[in-house]
C-alpha cells in the first residue's frame, strides 16, 4: 500500500498540480462513441527516460539569463547557475541535456569555454553578438549534475579538425591526473572525469553544420570517429550521427550508403541517428517559405491550433520512415533514432523578454502539441532512444521563461511534469478509437484524429496519458483494462476554456494542472476528457 501511495505522491509532485481531495466516482456506461483499450500484457518495449530530454544552446536568453546568472547575481544561484531552474528540472526528472547547439556547436571551440574564467576569450556568436564564454564545459557539466541529468555534447565538425573532437573527449573523460587536459579540468575544480557518454558528431550537417551532401558528411564522420579515446570498460561512447531534417530519408540513405562503402564494420561506428523536426508552417499550404509560412505564438484561431497539431503529428511518420530506411542498412536495428530537436517554431513577436532571439511564449496549444509528441515517442520505444525538446528555457518550445529574478513554468513545462511518470515504464499497446475532429480549412473540411495517447506500466503502476485536441467538445470515452481491476486512481488534467491560456511573469500560474482522486469499480469505466486538454490517469492496479 505504501508503494502505491508513493507512486501517486511522486507522480503528483512532478506535475506540480493543485490537488482536490474529493474523489470522483467513475462507472461504465454504454453511451460513449470513443474507446481506449489498454492491452496490459502487450509490451512494446521500455520507454527510455531520455526521450524526455532537453536542449540548450548559446542562443538568445537560453544560457545567459536563462541558466547562467553568475555567482555574484542577486538571483538565487548555485555557483552561478539559476537555482529555481535546477529545482524544477529535478521535479520533472530531467534525464539528459544537449549542449552547446544547434548551429552554434559547429562554430564553437570548446577550448574557449574552459580554464580561468577571466582569461576566456570573447568571440562572435553564431547567432550574432558577443559570446563571453562565461559558461563552458565545466559549468555545463555542473548544471547537469545539479539537475540530475546526463550531458550530451555536440562536437564541431564544420570548423574544427577531428583532433579537437578527440581532445574534447580527452578533456571530459581522461582519468584524474592522467593528461595535461585532465589537469586543466582539475584546475577548474573538477579533478574527476565527467564520463560524458553521449556525443553528437556535428549538427544539421546538411545546413549550418557544413552544407555537406550526405556522402560528404559520411566521409567526414568516418574520419572524426575512427579513433576516439576510450577509458575502460563500461565507458563506451554513444555516437550520434547528424541526421535528416523531417522526412528527408535521402539523407539517411545517402549517409549510410557512403559510410558502408568502406565495409559493413563501419556500421559499428554509429549508435544513434539524429532527426530534427520543427512544426512551423501554418500557411495551410500557401507557401513553403521559412519566414512567410510561420504563424503567431499567441494570436491564433482554432484552424491554426489544428494546423499546428497536424504539422506535429508528422513526427509519427517521420520516425517510421527513417526507421525503415535505417533497417535497410542495419537489419538488427542496433542504431536508434535520436530526435534531438523538436517543437513548434513561430514568427518573432511574443518574446517574454524583448530582444531574446527565437523566444516565444508557449500556450495551451503548445502543451497539447508537446503531450501529443511525447505520446508518439512513448508508442515507439524500440525506435526512439532519446529526444530533446528545443529549447529548455527562453527560446522555442520552452519549459521555462526567466529574466533576472522573474521565472515561470510554461504549459510545456507542466506537461513534462505530467509525463515524467512514463519514464522507464513498459510501453503498452493501446487501441484508441474516436470520431475525427472536423474543421474548416479555407472552405474545405479537414480532419484530425479525435483522441490519442499512450500507456505504460511499471510493476502495478499504470500511467495513461491522453490528448483531446478538440477546441470545444469534450470526449466521453469508455476505458477498458481487459479484466484488470484498479485499487486506487488519480487524474491530473491540464486544460482551459481559453485555448490561448499561458503563463507569464505577472501571472505565473494562470494555467496549472488540476489533480483529484478517482473511485473506480470494475476494470472498465467511462471518463470524459475535457476539450483542448492533456490528461494523465495514474492507476494502481489491484
Ligand atoms: O533550435 C534552433 C536551431 O534550429 C538550432 O540551432 C539548429 O540546429 C536548428 O536549425
Amino acid at each position: 500500500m505504501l508503494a502505491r501511495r508513493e507512486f501517486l505522491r511522486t507522480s503528483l509532485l512532478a506535475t506540480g498540480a493543485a490537488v482536490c481531495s474529493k474523489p470522483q466516482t467513475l462507472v461504465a456506461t454504454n453511451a460513449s462513441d470513443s474507446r481506449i483499450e489498454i492491452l496490459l500484457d502487450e509490451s512494446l518495449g521500455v520507454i527510455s527516460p531520455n526521450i524526455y530530454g532537453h536542449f540548450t544552446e548559446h542562443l538568445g536568453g537560453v544560457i545567459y539569463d536563462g541558466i547562467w546568472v553568475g555567482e555574484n547575481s542577486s538571483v538565487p544561484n548555485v555557483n552561478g547557475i539559476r537555482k529555481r531552474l535546477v529545482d524544477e528540472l529535478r521535479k520533472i526528472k530531467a534525464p539528459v541535456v544537449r549542449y552547446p547547439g544547434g548551429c552554434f556547436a559547429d562554430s564553437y571551440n570548446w577550448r574557449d569555454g574552459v580554464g580561468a574564467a577571466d582569461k576566456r576569450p570573447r568571440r562572435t556568436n553564431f547567432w550574432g553578438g558577443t559570446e563571453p564564454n562565461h559558461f563552458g564545459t565545466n559549468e555545463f557539466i555542473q548544471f547537469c549534475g545539479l539537475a540530475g541529468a546526463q550531458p550530451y555534447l555536440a562536437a564541431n565538425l564544420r570548423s574544427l579538425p577531428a583532433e579537437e573532437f578527440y581532445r574534447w573527449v580527452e578533456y571530459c573523460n581522461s582519468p584524474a591526473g592522467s593528461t595535461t587536459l585532465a589537469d586543466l579540468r582539475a584546475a577548474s575544480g573538477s579533478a574527476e572525469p565527467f564520463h560524458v557518454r553521449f556525443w553528437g558528431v556535428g549538427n544539421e550537417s546538411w545546413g549550418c553544420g557544413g552544407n555537406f551532401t550526405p556522402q560528404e558528411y559520411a566521409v567526414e564522420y568516418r574520419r572524426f570517429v575512427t579513433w576516439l579515446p576510450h577509458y575502460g570498460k563500461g565507458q563506451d561512447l554513444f555516437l550520434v550521427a547528424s541526421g535528416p531534417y523531417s522526412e528527408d530519408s535521402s539523407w539517411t540513405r545517402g549517409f549510410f550508403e557512403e559510410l558502408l562503402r568502406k565495409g559493413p564494420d563501419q556500421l559499428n561506428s554509429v549508435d544513434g541517428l539524429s532527426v530534427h523536426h520543427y512544426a512551423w508552417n501554418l500557411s495551410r499550404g500557401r507557401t513553403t517559405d521559412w519566414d512567410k509560412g510561420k504563424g503567431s505564438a499567441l494570436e491564433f484561431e482554432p484552424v491554426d491550433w489544428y494546423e499546428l497539431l497536424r504539422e506535429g503529428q508528422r513526427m509519427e511518420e517521420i520516425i517510421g520512415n527513417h526507421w525503415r530506411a535505417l533497417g535497410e542498412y542495419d537489419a538488427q536495428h542496433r542504431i536508434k533514432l535520436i530526435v534531438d530537436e523538436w517543437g513548434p517554431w513561430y514568427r518573432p513577436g511574443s518574446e517574454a523578454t524583448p530582444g531574446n532571439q527565437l523566444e516565444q511564449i508557449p500556450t495551451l496549444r503548445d502543451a497539447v502539441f508537446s503531450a501529443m509528441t511525447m505520446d508518439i515517442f512513448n508508442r515507439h520505444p524500440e525506435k526512439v532512444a532519446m529526444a530533446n525538446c528545443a529549447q529548455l528555457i527562453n527560446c522555442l518550445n520552452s519549459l521555462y521563461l526567466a529574466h533576472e529574478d522573474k521565472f515561470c513554468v510554461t504549459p510545456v513545462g507542466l506537461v513534462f511534469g505530467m509525463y515524467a511518470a512514463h519514464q522507464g515504464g513498459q510501453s503498452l499497446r493501446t487501441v484508441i478509437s474516436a470520431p475525427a475532429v472536423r474543421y474548416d480549412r479555407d472552405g474545405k473540411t479537414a480532419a484530425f484524429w479525435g483522441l490519442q495517447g499512450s500507456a505504460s506500466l511499471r510493476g502495478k503502476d499504470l500511467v495513461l496519458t491522453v490528448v483531446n485536441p478538440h477546441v470545444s467538445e469534450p470526449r466521453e470515452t469508455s476505458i477498458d483494462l481487459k479484466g484488470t481491476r484498479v485499487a486506487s486512481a488519480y487524474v491530473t488534467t491540464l486544460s482551459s476554456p481559453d485555448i490561448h491560456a499561458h503563463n507569464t511573469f505577472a501571472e505565473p500560474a494562470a494555467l496549472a494542472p488540476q489533480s483529484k482522486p478517482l473511485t473506480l469499480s470494475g476494470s472498465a469505466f467511462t471518463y470524459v476528457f475535457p476539450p483542448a486538454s492533456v490528461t494523465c490517469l495514474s492507476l494502481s492496479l489491484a
Side-chain angles (χ1 to χ4, degrees):
M1 198 58 190
L2 194 69
R4 270 180 209 149
R5 272 204 221 108
E6 183 60 15
F7 161 64
L8 294 175
R9 199 183 66 81
T10 49
S11 312
L12 288 177
L13 266 182
T15 65
V19 183
C20 153
S21 55
K22 196 162 166 270
Q24 181 188 353
T25 303
L26 302 183
V27 291
T29 66
N30 293 324
S32 326
D33 55 7
S34 304
R35 282 183 69 78
I36 299 179
E37 278 176 73
I38 305 175
L39 307 178
L40 284 147
D41 47 7
E42 280 198 48
S43 169
L44 303 170
V46 174
I47 296 174
S48 164
N50 291 338
I51 66 171
Y52 291 90
H54 308 285
F55 170 37
T56 55
E57 178 165 11
H58 285 257
L59 155 62
V62 178
I63 302 293
Y64 301 109
D65 205 12
I67 300 175
W68 181 255
V69 293
E71 284 132 337
N72 301 324
S73 171
S74 58
V75 177
N77 69 84
V78 186
N79 299 333
I81 293 162
R82 186 183 284 276
K83 185 172 180 312
R84 174 77 193 274
L85 176 62
V86 293
D87 290 346
E88 292 294 336
L89 287 172
R90 286 254 167 204
K91 281 193 217 160
I92 63 163
K93 301 189 192 148
V96 62
V97 186
R98 179 175 183 244
Y99 170 85
C103 293
F104 177 85
D106 277 294
S107 66
Y108 179 60
N109 189 333
W110 65 272
R111 288 183 192 262
D112 292 345
V114 300
D118 59 350
K119 301 259 170 355
R120 295 186 193 172
R122 285 171 298 127
R123 302 285 190 208
T124 305
N125 185 300
F126 172 91
W127 294 97
T130 302
E131 168 54 53
N133 283 306
H134 296 151
F135 189 91
T137 303
N138 289 61
E139 291 77 16
F140 173 67
I141 298 290
Q142 196 183 26
F143 166 59
C144 288
L146 291 168
Q150 289 192 72
Y152 167 22
L153 293 175
N156 179 343
L157 177 128
R158 176 178 62 80
S159 57
L160 283 184
E163 187 197 349
E164 285 306 314
F165 180 25
Y166 185 103
R167 295 287 170 228
W168 200 11
V169 176
E170 182 178 290
Y171 178 81
C172 290
N173 292 354
S174 58
S178 69
T179 64
T180 303
L181 288 175
D183 293 346
L184 180 62
R185 188 184 68 221
S188 303
S190 303
E192 290 310 312
F194 297 145
H195 298 301
V196 178
R197 177 169 178 242
F198 297 112
W199 292 87
V201 187
N203 167 76
E204 297 194 348
S205 302
W206 39 264
C208 62
N211 209 8
F212 295 113
T213 65
Q215 292 78 13
E216 288 165 345
Y217 172 66
V219 173
E220 291 299 309
Y221 183 90
R222 272 204 303 259
R223 201 154 60 83
F224 267 64
V225 306
T226 292
W227 195 255
L228 286 166
H230 285 98
Y231 297 104
K233 229 172 152 234
Q235 296 196 43
D236 285 347
L237 305 181
F238 186 103
L239 298 177
V240 181
S242 173
Y245 185 73
S246 296
E247 282 89 357
D248 183 12
S249 49
S250 68
W251 175 273
T252 303
R253 292 198 170 87
F255 169 71
F256 281 105
E257 258 153 42
E258 177 57 43
L259 190 77
L260 295 177
R261 241 163 32 94
K262 198 72 183 26
D265 287 358
Q266 299 297 320
L267 209 57
N268 297 329
S269 70
V270 187
D271 299 294
L273 179 73
S274 89
V275 178
H276 291 180
H277 174 60
Y278 287 101
W280 60 273
N281 194 337
L282 300 187
S283 74
R284 308 201 277 282
R286 287 194 189 93
T287 178
T288 53
D289 183 284
W290 175 250
D291 294 315
K292 293 192 189 122
K294 295 208 187 82
S296 160
L298 293 179
E299 287 158 27
F300 56 86
E301 301 297 324
V303 63
D304 305 308
W305 165 286
Y306 294 124
E307 288 293 304
L308 182 85
L309 297 184
R310 269 162 73 117
E311 286 298 304
Q313 178 56 42
R314 282 168 56 195
M315 181 67 85
E316 191 137 34
E317 220 177 307
I318 289 169
I319 289 170
N321 287 346
H322 291 303
W323 188 248
R324 269 188 297 281
L326 258 180
E328 292 167 22
Y329 308 93
D330 175 25
Q332 305 304 316
H333 275 306
R334 189 189 57 79
I335 302 169
K336 304 295 180 198
L337 295 175
I338 308 291
V339 186
D340 53 16
E341 290 186 30
W342 66 267
W345 191 325
Y346 303 108
R347 63 172 176 251
S350 79
E351 297 77 10
T353 302
N356 270 359
Q357 231 173 339
L358 302 197
E359 183 173 283
Q360 54 197 34
I361 297 185
T363 66
L364 178 61
R365 174 173 61 162
D366 303 298
V368 166
F369 177 102
S370 301
M372 174 190 89
T373 305
M374 295 194 276
D375 282 326
I376 294 174
F377 297 149
N378 285 345
R379 293 198 291 267
H380 297 278
E382 77 290 15
K383 305 182 184 85
V384 186
M386 190 198 291
N388 310 75
C389 180
Q391 300 194 10
L392 179 68
I393 185 165
N394 292 348
C395 196
L396 298 170
N397 200 40
S398 296
L399 285 79
Y400 311 106
L401 297 170
H403 179 49
E404 297 169 349
D405 60 352
K406 298 190 276 289
F407 188 93
C408 72
V409 181
T410 73
V412 175
L414 298 174
V415 162
F416 268 81
M418 291 170 68
Y419 276 57
H422 278 303
Q423 293 188 18
Q426 295 280 345
S427 174
L428 299 177
R429 190 177 299 286
T430 304
V431 184
I432 302 182
S433 57
V437 177
R438 308 216 173 265
Y439 66 99
D440 181 76
R441 192 178 193 251
D442 297 329
K444 291 199 179 114
T445 302
F448 190 70
W449 47 254
L451 206 64
Q452 265 304 355
S454 63
S456 68
L457 183 67
R458 203 205 308 237
K460 294 248 172 211
D461 301 329
L462 176 65
V463 180
L464 171 67
T465 47
V466 177
V467 166
N468 176 4
H470 203 295
V471 293
S472 54
E473 288 180 13
R475 184 72 68 194
E476 184 177 303
T477 307
S478 64
I479 301 178
D480 191 351
L481 302 181
K482 302 280 165 204
T484 303
R485 299 177 77 84
V486 173
S488 55
Y490 250 92
V491 63
T492 303
T493 312
L494 186 70
S495 186
S496 166
D498 178 8
I499 58 172
H500 308 93
H502 57 273
N503 294 336
T504 60
F505 297 140
E507 277 191 278
L511 188 63
Q514 306 292 324
S515 279
K516 64 180 172 204
L518 298 175
T519 307
L520 312 177
S521 57
S523 70
F525 56 95
T526 299
Y527 189 79
V528 180
F529 294 100
S533 67
V534 179
T535 300
C536 176
L537 285 157
S538 309
L539 311 174
S540 281
L541 303 181

